[in-house]
Coordinates of all heavy atoms in Angstrom, one line a residue:
M1 N 0.8 -1.2 0.0 CA 0.0 0.0 0.0 C 0.9 1.2 0.0 O 1.8 1.3 0.8 CB -0.9 0.0 1.2 CG -1.8 1.2 1.4 SD -2.9 1.1 2.8 CE -4.1 0.0 2.4
S2 N 0.6 2.2 -0.9 CA 1.4 3.4 -1.0 C 1.0 4.3 0.2 O 0.0 4.1 0.8 CB 1.2 4.1 -2.3 OG -0.1 4.7 -2.3
E3 N 1.8 5.3 0.5 CA 1.5 6.3 1.5 C 0.2 7.0 1.2 O -0.6 7.3 2.0 CB 2.6 7.3 1.7 CG 3.8 6.7 2.4 CD 4.9 7.7 2.7 OE1 4.8 8.9 2.3 OE2 5.9 7.3 3.5
K4 N 0.0 7.3 -0.1 CA -1.3 8.0 -0.5 C -2.5 7.1 -0.2 O -3.5 7.6 0.3 CB -1.2 8.3 -2.0 CG -2.4 9.1 -2.5 CD -2.3 9.4 -4.0 CE -3.6 10.1 -4.5 NZ -3.5 10.4 -5.9
Q5 N -2.4 5.8 -0.6 CA -3.5 4.9 -0.3 C -3.7 4.7 1.2 O -4.9 4.7 1.6 CB -3.2 3.5 -0.9 CG -3.2 3.6 -2.5 CD -2.7 2.3 -3.0 OE1 -1.7 1.7 -2.5 NE2 -3.3 1.8 -4.2
F6 N -2.6 4.7 1.9 CA -2.7 4.6 3.4 C -3.5 5.8 4.0 O -4.4 5.7 4.8 CB -1.3 4.4 4.0 CG -1.3 4.2 5.5 CD1 -2.1 3.3 6.1 CD2 -0.5 5.0 6.3 CE1 -2.1 3.1 7.5 CE2 -0.4 4.8 7.7 CZ -1.2 3.9 8.3
A7 N -3.1 7.0 3.5 CA -3.7 8.2 4.0 C -5.2 8.2 3.6 O -6.1 8.6 4.4 CB -3.0 9.4 3.3
Q8 N -5.5 7.8 2.4 CA -6.9 7.8 2.0 C -7.7 6.8 2.8 O -8.9 7.1 3.2 CB -7.0 7.4 0.5 CG -6.6 8.5 -0.4 CD -6.5 8.0 -1.9 OE1 -6.3 6.8 -2.2 NE2 -6.6 8.9 -2.8
T9 N -7.2 5.7 3.2 CA -7.9 4.7 4.0 C -8.1 5.3 5.4 O -9.2 5.2 6.0 CB -7.0 3.4 4.1 OG1 -6.9 2.9 2.8 CG2 -7.7 2.4 5.0
L10 N -7.1 5.9 6.0 CA -7.2 6.4 7.3 C -8.3 7.5 7.4 O -9.1 7.5 8.3 CB -5.9 7.0 7.8 CG -4.8 6.0 8.3 CD1 -3.6 6.7 8.7 CD2 -5.4 5.1 9.4
W11 N -8.3 8.4 6.4 CA -9.2 9.5 6.4 C -10.6 9.1 6.0 O -11.6 9.7 6.4 CB -8.7 10.7 5.7 CG -7.8 11.4 6.7 CD1 -8.2 12.4 7.5 CD2 -6.5 11.0 7.2 NE1 -7.2 12.7 8.4 CE2 -6.2 11.8 8.2 CE3 -5.6 10.0 6.8 CZ2 -5.0 11.7 8.9 CZ3 -4.4 9.9 7.5 CH2 -4.1 10.8 8.5
A12 N -10.8 8.0 5.4 CA -12.1 7.4 5.1 C -12.7 7.0 6.5 O -13.9 7.2 6.8 CB -12.0 6.2 4.2
F13 N -11.8 6.4 7.3 CA -12.3 6.0 8.7 C -12.6 7.3 9.5 O -13.6 7.3 10.2 CB -11.2 5.2 9.4 CG -11.2 3.8 9.1 CD1 -10.0 3.3 8.4 CD2 -12.2 2.9 9.3 CE1 -10.0 1.9 8.0 CE2 -12.2 1.6 9.0 CZ -11.0 1.1 8.3
R14 N -11.8 8.3 9.4 CA -12.1 9.6 10.1 C -13.4 10.2 9.7 O -14.2 10.7 10.5 CB -10.9 10.6 9.8 CG -11.2 12.0 10.4 CD -11.3 12.0 11.9 NE -10.1 11.9 12.6 CZ -9.9 11.3 13.8 NH1 -10.9 10.9 14.4 NH2 -8.7 11.2 14.3
I15 N -13.7 10.2 8.4 CA -15.0 10.7 7.9 C -16.2 9.9 8.4 O -17.2 10.4 8.8 CB -15.0 10.8 6.4 CG1 -14.0 11.9 5.9 CG2 -16.4 11.1 5.8 CD1 -13.7 11.8 4.4
F16 N -16.0 8.6 8.4 CA -17.0 7.6 8.8 C -17.3 7.8 10.3 O -18.4 7.8 10.8 CB -16.6 6.2 8.5 CG -17.6 5.2 9.0 CD1 -18.8 5.0 8.5 CD2 -17.2 4.4 10.1 CE1 -19.7 4.1 9.0 CE2 -18.1 3.4 10.6 CZ -19.3 3.2 10.0
D17 N -16.3 7.9 11.1 CA -16.4 8.0 12.6 C -15.3 9.0 13.1 O -14.2 8.6 13.2 CB -16.3 6.7 13.2 CG -16.5 6.7 14.7 OD1 -16.6 7.7 15.3 OD2 -16.5 5.6 15.3
N18 N -15.7 10.2 13.5 CA -14.7 11.2 14.0 C -14.1 10.9 15.3 O -13.2 11.6 15.8 CB -15.3 12.6 13.9 CG -16.4 12.8 14.9 OD1 -16.9 11.9 15.6 ND2 -17.0 14.0 14.8
D19 N -14.6 9.8 16.0 CA -14.1 9.4 17.3 C -13.0 8.3 17.2 O -12.5 7.9 18.2 CB -15.2 9.0 18.2 CG -16.1 10.1 18.7 OD1 -15.6 11.2 18.8 OD2 -17.3 9.9 18.8
V20 N -12.8 7.8 15.9 CA -11.9 6.7 15.7 C -10.5 7.1 16.1 O -10.1 8.3 15.8 CB -12.0 6.2 14.3 CG1 -11.4 7.1 13.3 CG2 -11.3 4.8 14.2
E21 N -9.7 6.3 16.8 CA -8.3 6.5 17.2 C -7.5 6.3 15.9 O -7.7 5.4 15.2 CB -7.9 5.5 18.2 CG -8.4 5.8 19.6 CD -7.4 6.5 20.5 OE1 -6.2 6.5 20.2 OE2 -7.8 7.1 21.5
M22 N -6.5 7.2 15.7 CA -5.6 7.1 14.6 C -4.2 7.2 15.2 O -3.8 8.3 15.7 CB -5.8 8.2 13.6 CG -7.1 8.0 12.8 SD -7.0 9.0 11.4 CE -8.7 8.9 10.9
S23 N -3.5 6.1 15.2 CA -2.1 6.1 15.7 C -1.1 6.0 14.6 O -1.3 5.2 13.6 CB -2.0 4.9 16.7 OG -2.9 5.0 17.7
M24 N 0.0 6.7 14.7 CA 1.1 6.6 13.8 C 2.3 6.0 14.5 O 2.8 6.5 15.5 CB 1.4 8.0 13.2 CG 0.3 8.6 12.4 SD -0.1 7.8 10.9 CE 1.3 7.8 10.0
S25 N 2.7 4.9 14.0 CA 3.9 4.2 14.6 C 5.2 4.7 14.0 O 5.2 5.5 13.0 CB 3.8 2.7 14.4 OG 4.1 2.4 13.1
T26 N 6.3 4.3 14.5 CA 7.6 4.7 14.0 C 7.9 3.9 12.7 O 8.9 4.2 12.1 CB 8.7 4.5 15.0 OG1 8.6 3.1 15.4 CG2 8.5 5.4 16.2
R27 N 7.0 3.1 12.2 CA 7.2 2.4 11.0 C 7.1 3.3 9.8 O 7.7 3.2 8.8 CB 6.2 1.2 10.8 CG 6.4 0.1 11.7 CD 5.4 -1.0 11.4 NE 5.0 -1.6 12.7 CZ 4.3 -2.7 12.8 NH1 3.8 -3.3 11.7 NH2 3.9 -3.2 13.9
E28 N 6.2 4.4 10.0 CA 6.0 5.3 8.9 C 7.1 6.3 8.9 O 7.8 6.5 9.8 CB 4.6 6.1 9.1 CG 3.4 5.3 8.8 CD 3.1 4.2 9.7 OE1 3.0 4.4 10.9 OE2 2.9 3.1 9.2
T29 N 7.3 7.0 7.7 CA 8.4 7.9 7.6 C 8.1 9.2 8.4 O 7.0 9.5 8.7 CB 8.6 8.3 6.1 OG1 7.4 9.0 5.6 CG2 8.8 7.1 5.2
S30 N 9.2 9.9 8.7 CA 9.1 11.1 9.4 C 8.3 12.2 8.6 O 7.4 12.9 9.1 CB 10.4 11.7 9.8 OG 11.2 11.9 8.6
N31 N 8.5 12.2 7.3 CA 7.7 13.1 6.4 C 6.2 12.8 6.5 O 5.4 13.7 6.7 CB 8.2 13.0 5.0 CG 7.5 14.0 4.1 OD1 7.4 15.2 4.3 ND2 7.0 13.4 3.0
M32 N 5.9 11.6 6.4 CA 4.4 11.2 6.5 C 3.9 11.5 7.9 O 2.8 12.1 8.0 CB 4.3 9.7 6.2 CG 2.9 9.2 6.2 SD 3.0 7.4 5.8 CE 1.2 7.1 5.5
R33 N 4.6 11.2 8.9 CA 4.1 11.5 10.3 C 4.0 13.0 10.5 O 3.0 13.5 11.1 CB 5.0 10.9 11.3 CG 4.8 9.4 11.4 CD 5.9 8.6 12.0 NE 6.5 9.1 13.2 CZ 6.3 8.7 14.5 NH1 5.4 7.8 14.7 NH2 6.9 9.2 15.5
N34 N 4.9 13.8 10.0 CA 4.8 15.3 10.1 C 3.5 15.8 9.5 O 2.8 16.6 10.1 CB 6.0 16.0 9.4 CG 7.3 15.7 10.1 OD1 7.3 15.2 11.2 ND2 8.4 16.2 9.5
H35 N 3.2 15.3 8.3 CA 2.0 15.8 7.6 C 0.7 15.2 8.3 O -0.3 15.9 8.2 CB 2.0 15.4 6.2 CG 3.0 16.3 5.4 ND1 4.3 15.9 5.3 CD2 2.9 17.5 4.9 CE1 5.0 16.8 4.6 NE2 4.1 17.8 4.4
F36 N 0.7 14.0 8.8 CA -0.5 13.4 9.3 C -0.9 14.1 10.6 O -2.1 14.0 11.0 CB -0.3 11.9 9.6 CG -0.5 11.1 8.3 CD1 -0.3 11.5 7.1 CD2 -1.0 9.8 8.5 CE1 -0.5 10.8 6.0 CE2 -1.3 9.0 7.4 CZ -1.0 9.5 6.1
I37 N 0.0 14.7 11.3 CA -0.3 15.5 12.6 C -1.5 16.5 12.3 O -2.4 16.6 13.1 CB 0.9 16.2 13.1 CG1 1.9 15.2 13.6 CG2 0.5 17.2 14.2 CD1 1.5 14.3 14.7
T38 N -1.4 17.1 11.2 CA -2.4 18.2 10.8 C -3.7 17.6 10.4 O -4.7 18.3 10.3 CB -1.9 19.1 9.7 OG1 -1.7 18.3 8.5 CG2 -0.6 19.7 10.1
L39 N -3.8 16.3 10.2 CA -5.0 15.7 9.7 C -5.8 14.8 10.7 O -6.6 14.0 10.4 CB -4.7 14.8 8.5 CG -4.0 15.5 7.3 CD1 -3.6 14.6 6.3 CD2 -5.0 16.5 6.7
G40 N -5.5 15.0 12.0 CA -6.3 14.4 13.1 C -5.8 13.1 13.7 O -6.5 12.4 14.3
V41 N -4.5 12.9 13.5 CA -3.9 11.7 14.2 C -4.0 11.9 15.7 O -3.8 13.0 16.2 CB -2.4 11.5 13.8 CG1 -1.7 10.5 14.7 CG2 -2.3 11.1 12.4
T42 N -4.4 10.9 16.4 CA -4.7 11.0 17.9 C -3.5 10.6 18.7 O -3.4 10.9 19.9 CB -5.9 10.2 18.3 OG1 -5.8 8.9 17.8 CG2 -7.2 10.8 17.7
S43 N -2.6 9.8 18.2 CA -1.4 9.4 19.0 C -0.2 9.0 18.0 O -0.5 8.5 16.9 CB -1.7 8.2 19.9 OG -2.0 7.1 19.2
V44 N 1.0 9.3 18.5 CA 2.2 9.0 17.7 C 3.2 8.4 18.7 O 3.3 8.8 19.8 CB 2.8 10.2 17.0 CG1 1.9 10.7 15.9 CG2 3.1 11.3 18.0
S45 N 3.9 7.4 18.2 CA 5.0 6.8 19.0 C 6.3 7.6 18.8 O 6.4 8.2 17.7 CB 5.1 5.3 18.8 OG 5.3 5.1 17.4
A46 N 7.2 7.4 19.7 CA 8.5 8.1 19.5 C 9.5 7.3 20.4 O 9.2 6.8 21.4 CB 8.4 9.5 20.0
G47 N 10.7 7.3 19.9 CA 11.8 6.7 20.7 C 11.6 5.2 20.8 O 12.0 4.6 21.8
S48 N 10.9 4.5 19.9 CA 10.6 3.1 20.0 C 11.7 2.2 19.8 O 12.6 2.5 19.0 CB 9.5 2.8 19.0 OG 8.3 3.5 19.3
H49 N 11.6 1.0 20.4 CA 12.5 -0.1 20.2 C 11.6 -1.3 19.8 O 10.6 -1.5 20.5 CB 13.4 -0.4 21.4 CG 14.4 0.6 21.7 ND1 15.6 0.6 21.2 CD2 14.3 1.6 22.6 CE1 16.3 1.6 21.6 NE2 15.6 2.3 22.5
T50 N 12.0 -2.1 18.8 CA 11.2 -3.2 18.4 C 11.8 -4.5 18.7 O 11.3 -5.5 18.2 CB 10.8 -3.0 16.9 OG1 12.0 -3.1 16.1 CG2 10.0 -1.7 16.7
D51 N 13.0 -4.5 19.3 CA 13.6 -5.8 19.6 C 13.3 -6.2 21.0 O 13.1 -5.3 21.9 CB 15.2 -5.6 19.4 CG 15.7 -4.4 20.1 OD1 15.1 -3.3 19.9 OD2 16.7 -4.5 20.8
P52 N 13.2 -7.5 21.3 CA 12.9 -8.0 22.6 C 13.9 -7.4 23.7 O 15.1 -7.5 23.5 CB 13.0 -9.5 22.5 CG 12.8 -9.8 21.1 CD 13.3 -8.6 20.3
G53 N 13.4 -6.8 24.7 CA 14.2 -6.2 25.7 C 15.0 -4.9 25.2 O 15.9 -4.5 25.9
G54 N 14.5 -4.4 24.1 CA 15.3 -3.3 23.5 C 15.5 -2.0 24.3 O 16.4 -1.3 24.0
Y55 N 14.6 -1.7 25.2 CA 14.9 -0.5 26.0 C 16.0 -0.7 27.0 O 16.7 0.2 27.3 CB 13.6 -0.1 26.7 CG 12.5 0.3 25.7 CD1 11.5 -0.6 25.3 CD2 12.5 1.6 25.2 CE1 10.6 -0.2 24.4 CE2 11.6 2.0 24.2 CZ 10.6 1.1 23.8 OH 9.7 1.4 22.9
A56 N 16.1 -1.9 27.5 CA 17.2 -2.2 28.5 C 18.5 -2.7 27.8 O 19.6 -2.3 28.2 CB 16.8 -3.3 29.4
H57 N 18.4 -3.5 26.7 CA 19.5 -4.0 26.0 C 19.3 -4.0 24.5 O 18.9 -5.0 23.9 CB 19.8 -5.4 26.5 CG 19.9 -5.6 28.0 ND1 21.0 -5.2 28.7 CD2 19.1 -6.1 28.9 CE1 20.9 -5.4 29.9 NE2 19.7 -6.0 30.1
P58 N 19.5 -2.8 23.9 CA 19.2 -2.7 22.4 C 20.0 -3.7 21.6 O 21.2 -3.9 21.8 CB 19.6 -1.3 22.1 CG 19.6 -0.6 23.4 CD 19.9 -1.6 24.4
D59 N 19.4 -4.4 20.7 CA 20.0 -5.4 19.8 C 19.3 -5.3 18.5 O 18.3 -6.0 18.3 CB 19.9 -6.8 20.4 CG 20.7 -7.8 19.5 OD1 21.1 -7.5 18.4 OD2 20.8 -9.0 20.0
K60 N 19.8 -4.5 17.6 CA 19.2 -4.3 16.3 C 19.0 -5.6 15.5 O 18.1 -5.7 14.6 CB 20.0 -3.3 15.4 CG 20.0 -1.9 16.0 CD 18.6 -1.3 15.9 CE 18.6 0.1 16.4 NZ 17.3 0.7 16.5
E61 N 19.8 -6.6 15.7 CA 19.7 -7.9 15.0 C 18.4 -8.6 15.3 O 17.9 -9.4 14.5 CB 20.9 -8.8 15.3 CG 22.2 -8.2 14.7 CD 23.4 -9.0 15.1 OE1 23.2 -10.2 15.6 OE2 24.5 -8.5 14.9
L62 N 17.8 -8.3 16.4 CA 16.5 -9.0 16.8 C 15.3 -8.1 16.6 O 14.2 -8.4 17.0 CB 16.5 -9.4 18.3 CG 17.6 -10.4 18.7 CD1 17.6 -10.6 20.2 CD2 17.4 -11.7 18.0
E63 N 15.5 -7.0 15.9 CA 14.4 -6.1 15.6 C 13.2 -6.8 14.9 O 13.4 -7.5 13.9 CB 15.0 -5.0 14.6 CG 14.2 -3.8 14.5 CD 15.0 -2.7 13.7 OE1 15.4 -3.0 12.6 OE2 15.2 -1.6 14.2
Q64 N 12.0 -6.5 15.4 CA 10.8 -7.1 14.9 C 10.4 -6.5 13.6 O 9.8 -7.1 12.7 CB 9.7 -7.1 15.9 CG 10.0 -7.9 17.1 CD 8.9 -7.8 18.2 OE1 7.9 -7.1 18.0 NE2 9.1 -8.4 19.3
F65 N 10.6 -5.2 13.4 CA 10.4 -4.4 12.2 C 11.2 -3.2 12.2 O 11.7 -2.8 13.2 CB 8.9 -4.1 12.0 CG 8.3 -3.2 13.1 CD1 8.5 -1.8 13.1 CD2 7.6 -3.7 14.1 CE1 7.9 -1.0 14.0 CE2 7.0 -2.9 15.1 CZ 7.2 -1.6 15.1
H66 N 11.5 -2.7 11.0 CA 12.4 -1.6 10.8 C 11.7 -0.3 11.2 O 10.5 0.0 10.9 CB 12.8 -1.5 9.4 CG 13.8 -0.3 9.1 ND1 15.0 -0.3 9.6 CD2 13.6 0.8 8.5 CE1 15.6 0.9 9.2 NE2 14.7 1.6 8.6
I67 N 12.4 0.5 12.0 CA 11.9 1.9 12.4 C 12.3 2.9 11.3 O 13.5 3.0 11.0 CB 12.5 2.3 13.8 CG1 11.9 1.3 14.8 CG2 12.2 3.7 14.1 CD1 12.4 1.5 16.2
N68 N 11.4 3.6 10.8 CA 11.7 4.6 9.8 C 11.7 6.0 10.3 O 12.2 6.9 9.7 CB 10.6 4.6 8.7 CG 10.7 3.4 7.8 OD1 11.8 3.1 7.3 ND2 9.6 2.6 7.6
D69 N 11.3 6.2 11.5 CA 11.3 7.5 12.2 C 11.9 7.3 13.6 O 11.2 6.9 14.5 CB 9.9 8.2 12.2 CG 10.0 9.6 12.7 OD1 11.0 10.1 13.2 OD2 8.9 10.3 12.7
G70 N 13.1 7.6 13.7 CA 13.8 7.4 15.0 C 13.9 8.5 15.9 O 14.7 8.6 16.9
R71 N 13.0 9.5 15.7 CA 13.0 10.7 16.6 C 12.6 10.4 18.0 O 11.8 9.5 18.3 CB 12.1 11.8 16.0 CG 12.6 12.4 14.8 CD 11.7 13.5 14.2 NE 10.5 12.8 13.6 CZ 9.6 13.5 13.0 NH1 9.6 14.8 13.0 NH2 8.6 12.8 12.5
S72 N 13.2 11.1 19.0 CA 12.9 10.9 20.4 C 11.6 11.6 20.7 O 11.0 12.4 19.9 CB 14.0 11.6 21.2 OG 13.9 13.0 21.1
A73 N 11.1 11.4 21.9 CA 9.8 12.0 22.3 C 10.0 13.5 22.3 O 9.1 14.3 21.9 CB 9.4 11.5 23.7
A74 N 11.1 14.0 22.8 CA 11.4 15.5 22.8 C 11.4 16.1 21.4 O 10.8 17.2 21.1 CB 12.7 15.8 23.5
E75 N 11.9 15.3 20.4 CA 11.9 15.8 19.0 C 10.5 15.8 18.4 O 10.1 16.7 17.7 CB 12.9 14.9 18.2 CG 14.3 15.1 18.5 CD 15.2 14.1 17.9 OE1 14.8 12.9 17.9 OE2 16.3 14.4 17.4
M76 N 9.8 14.8 18.7 CA 8.4 14.7 18.3 C 7.6 15.9 18.9 O 6.8 16.5 18.2 CB 7.7 13.4 18.6 CG 8.3 12.2 17.7 SD 8.0 12.4 16.0 CE 6.2 12.4 15.9
E77 N 7.8 16.1 20.2 CA 7.0 17.2 20.8 C 7.3 18.5 20.2 O 6.4 19.3 19.9 CB 7.4 17.2 22.3 CG 6.7 18.4 23.0 CD 7.0 18.4 24.5 OE1 7.6 17.5 25.1 OE2 6.6 19.4 25.1
K78 N 8.6 18.8 19.9 CA 9.0 20.0 19.2 C 8.3 20.2 17.9 O 7.7 21.2 17.6 CB 10.5 20.0 19.1 CG 11.0 21.3 18.5 CD 12.5 21.3 18.4 CE 13.0 22.6 17.8 NZ 14.5 22.6 17.7
M79 N 8.2 19.1 17.1 CA 7.6 19.2 15.8 C 6.1 19.4 15.9 O 5.5 20.2 15.2 CB 7.9 17.8 15.0 CG 7.2 17.7 13.6 SD 5.5 17.1 13.6 CE 5.7 15.5 14.2
I80 N 5.4 18.7 16.9 CA 4.0 18.8 17.0 C 3.6 20.3 17.5 O 2.7 20.9 17.0 CB 3.5 17.8 18.0 CG1 3.6 16.4 17.4 CG2 2.0 18.1 18.4 CD1 3.4 15.2 18.3
R81 N 4.4 20.8 18.5 CA 4.2 22.1 19.0 C 4.4 23.2 17.9 O 3.7 24.2 17.8 CB 5.0 22.4 20.2 CG 4.5 21.6 21.4 CD 5.1 22.1 22.7 NE 4.8 21.3 23.8 CZ 3.7 21.3 24.5 NH1 2.7 22.1 24.1 NH2 3.5 20.4 25.5
A82 N 5.4 22.9 17.0 CA 5.7 23.9 16.0 C 4.5 24.0 15.0 O 4.4 25.0 14.3 CB 6.9 23.4 15.2
Q83 N 3.7 22.9 14.9 CA 2.5 23.0 14.1 C 1.3 23.5 14.8 O 0.2 23.6 14.2 CB 2.2 21.6 13.6 CG 3.3 21.1 12.6 CD 2.9 19.8 11.9 OE1 1.8 19.6 11.5 NE2 3.9 18.9 11.8
G84 N 1.5 24.0 16.0 CA 0.4 24.6 16.8 C -0.5 23.7 17.6 O -1.6 24.1 18.0
Y85 N 0.0 22.5 17.9 CA -0.8 21.6 18.6 C -0.2 21.3 20.0 O 0.9 21.5 20.2 CB -0.9 20.2 17.9 CG -1.7 20.3 16.6 CD1 -1.0 20.5 15.4 CD2 -3.0 20.2 16.5 CE1 -1.6 20.6 14.2 CE2 -3.7 20.3 15.4 CZ -3.0 20.5 14.2 OH -3.7 20.7 13.0
D86 N -1.1 21.0 21.0 CA -0.7 20.6 22.3 C -0.2 19.2 22.3 O -0.7 18.3 21.6 CB -1.8 20.8 23.3 CG -2.1 22.3 23.5 OD1 -1.2 23.1 23.4 OD2 -3.3 22.6 23.8
V87 N 0.7 18.8 23.2 CA 1.2 17.5 23.4 C 0.7 17.0 24.7 O 0.9 17.6 25.7 CB 2.7 17.4 23.3 CG1 3.3 16.0 23.6 CG2 3.2 17.9 21.9
I88 N 0.1 15.8 24.7 CA -0.4 15.2 25.9 C 0.3 13.8 26.0 O 0.1 13.0 25.2 CB -1.9 15.0 25.9 CG1 -2.6 16.3 25.8 CG2 -2.4 14.2 27.2 CD1 -4.1 16.2 25.5
Y89 N 1.2 13.7 27.0 CA 1.9 12.4 27.2 C 1.0 11.3 27.8 O 1.2 10.2 27.6 CB 3.1 12.6 28.0 CG 4.3 13.2 27.2 CD1 4.5 14.6 27.2 CD2 5.1 12.4 26.5 CE1 5.5 15.1 26.5 CE2 6.1 12.9 25.7 CZ 6.3 14.3 25.8 OH 7.4 14.8 25.0
K90 N 0.1 11.8 28.6 CA -0.8 10.8 29.4 C -2.1 11.4 29.6 O -2.2 12.5 30.1 CB -0.1 10.5 30.7 CG -0.9 9.5 31.6 CD -0.2 9.3 32.9 CE -1.1 8.5 33.8 NZ -0.6 8.4 35.2
D91 N -3.2 10.8 29.2 CA -4.5 11.3 29.5 C -5.4 10.3 30.2 O -6.6 10.3 30.1 CB -5.2 11.7 28.2 CG -5.4 10.6 27.2 OD1 -5.0 9.4 27.5 OD2 -6.1 10.8 26.2
W92 N -4.7 9.4 31.0 CA -5.4 8.4 31.8 C -4.6 8.2 33.0 O -3.4 8.6 33.2 CB -5.5 7.1 31.0 CG -4.2 6.6 30.5 CD1 -3.7 6.9 29.3 CD2 -3.2 5.8 31.2 NE1 -2.4 6.3 29.2 CE2 -2.1 5.7 30.3 CE3 -3.2 5.3 32.4 CZ2 -1.0 5.0 30.7 CZ3 -2.0 4.6 32.8 CH2 -1.0 4.4 31.9
D93 N -5.2 7.6 34.0 CA -4.5 7.3 35.3 C -4.9 5.9 35.7 O -6.1 5.6 35.8 CB -4.9 8.3 36.3 CG -4.0 8.2 37.6 OD1 -3.4 7.2 37.8 OD2 -4.0 9.2 38.3
K94 N -3.9 5.1 35.8 CA -4.2 3.7 36.2 C -4.6 3.5 37.6 O -5.1 2.4 38.0 CB -3.1 2.7 35.8 CG -1.8 2.9 36.6 CD -0.8 1.9 36.2 CE 0.4 2.1 37.1 NZ 1.5 1.2 36.7
T95 N -4.5 4.5 38.4 CA -4.8 4.5 39.9 C -6.3 4.5 40.0 O -7.0 5.4 39.5 CB -4.2 5.6 40.7 OG1 -2.8 5.6 40.4 CG2 -4.5 5.5 42.1
L96 N -6.9 3.5 40.6 CA -8.3 3.5 40.8 C -8.7 4.2 42.1 O -8.0 4.1 43.1 CB -8.8 2.0 40.9 CG -8.6 1.2 39.6 CD1 -9.1 -0.3 39.9 CD2 -9.4 1.7 38.5
R97 N -9.7 4.9 42.0 CA -10.1 5.7 43.2 C -11.4 5.2 43.8 O -12.2 4.6 43.3 CB -10.4 7.2 42.8 CG -9.1 7.8 42.3 CD -9.4 9.2 41.8 NE -8.2 9.5 41.0 CZ -7.6 10.7 41.2 NH1 -8.1 11.6 42.0 NH2 -6.5 11.0 40.5

């Protein structure tokens, strides 16, 4: 599927249901993720590792899939804010009251 076809599919879902979650993983290119921010993406990943135990012991040889956008959370936040959007790192609380 091309990036154009992917975009068309995602936004068909957005038109159908404006409450649908749209997540962009680090599998997509930085260019694509930059542009999708303006189109209603609800969450983006950053600083991801796809290898087992990758946050503690990075091993690129065990990578489950290739990361196309290796920006850190701080870099993603800067890009999102530059486009005029707020960044929310957490909008839930696992503590039950």
Side-chain angles (χ1 to χ4, degrees):
M1 178 179 284
S2 71
E3 287 187 353
K4 181 179 178 181
Q5 291 169 324
F6 183 51
Q8 289 172 333
T9 301
L10 285 178
W11 275 265
F13 281 114
R14 173 61 77 210
I15 291 167
F16 176 71
D17 183 354
N18 64 0
D19 291 326
V20 72
E21 286 259 341
M22 290 195 194
S23 299
M24 295 298 295
S25 76
T26 55
R27 291 182 217 188
E28 283 73 54
T29 65
S30 58
N31 182 52
M32 184 177 188
R33 287 163 40 103
N34 290 352
H35 288 92
F36 277 30
I37 293 297
T38 65
L39 299 173
V41 168
T42 53
S43 64
V44 294
S45 55
S48 298
H49 291 274
T50 64
D51 48 312
Y55 294 99
H57 307 286
D59 184 353
K60 295 288 183 189
E61 293 177 12
L62 297 176
E63 197 172 56
Q64 293 175 5
F65 59 83
H66 180 71
I67 293 174
N68 288 309
D69 188 354
R71 289 179 286 182
S72 68
E75 291 168 317
M76 288 300 295
E77 178 178 351
K78 183 177 178 180
M79 178 274 294
I80 293 167
R81 289 193 188 282
Q83 294 190 42
Y85 295 95
D86 291 328
V87 174
I88 300 170
Y89 280 95
K90 177 183 171 189
D91 64 356
W92 53 270
D93 191 340
K94 67 179 182 180
T95 305
L96 299 176
R97 296 174 194 228

